[in-house]
């Protein structure tokens, strides 16, 4: 027989929780989808509660970067930056 846990159940990051944390009135469905993608990539298997504020802010910045650049990941952005530097842009 197992002892019942008194800890709240842990669930994966879900869209509704992300939308609530971002602000239901302030963020579009697209922005929430981008943030969910970023969180799942950076913190697979973790819950929203497990993500410290500094990591949330890093993900938040990446979400804004991706929504402005059309979903480019860090490697693609670095490659684009190098190409721009070589062209002198």
């Amino acid at each position: 027989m197992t002892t019942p846990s008194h800890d709240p159940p842990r669930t994966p990051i879900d869209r509704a929780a992300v939308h609530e944390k971002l602000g239901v009135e302030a963020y579009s469905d697209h922005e929430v989808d981008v943030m969910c993608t970023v969180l799942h990539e950076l913190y697979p298997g973790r819950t929203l509660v497990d993500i410290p504020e500094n990591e949330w802010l890093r993900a938040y910045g990446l979400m804004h970067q991706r929504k402005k650049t059309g979903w480019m990941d860090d490697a693609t952005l670095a490659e684009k930056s190098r190409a721009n530097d070589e062209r002198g842009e």
Side-chain angles (χ1 to χ4, degrees):
M1 184 172 149
T2 60
T3 306
S5 174
H6 296 286
D7 294 331
R10 300 188 144 217
T11 57
I13 296 169
D14 68 30
R15 191 177 189 292
V18 171
H19 204 171
E20 185 176 327
K21 184 162 181 164
L22 285 171
V24 177
E25 299 294 324
Y27 287 86
S28 70
D29 289 340
H30 172 70
E31 291 166 316
V32 173
D33 290 341
V34 175
M35 186 63 163
C36 286
T37 299
V38 168
L39 291 170
H40 285 291
E41 288 174 5
L42 294 176
Y43 313 109
R46 291 172 66 183
T47 67
L48 200 52
V49 174
D50 294 333
I51 299 172
E53 190 66 19
N54 66 320
E55 291 180 28
W56 167 265
L57 292 173
R58 177 177 176 248
Y60 181 81
L62 186 54
M63 178 268 293
H64 278 287
Q65 183 180 41
R66 285 191 182 184
K67 77 176 188 174
K68 290 178 183 177
T69 60
W71 293 82
M72 290 184 196
D73 60 16
D74 289 337
T76 304
L77 287 170
E79 183 178 320
K80 183 177 180 180
S81 178
R82 279 191 301 275
N84 288 342
D85 288 345
E86 288 172 3
R87 288 193 306 263
E89 294 180 3

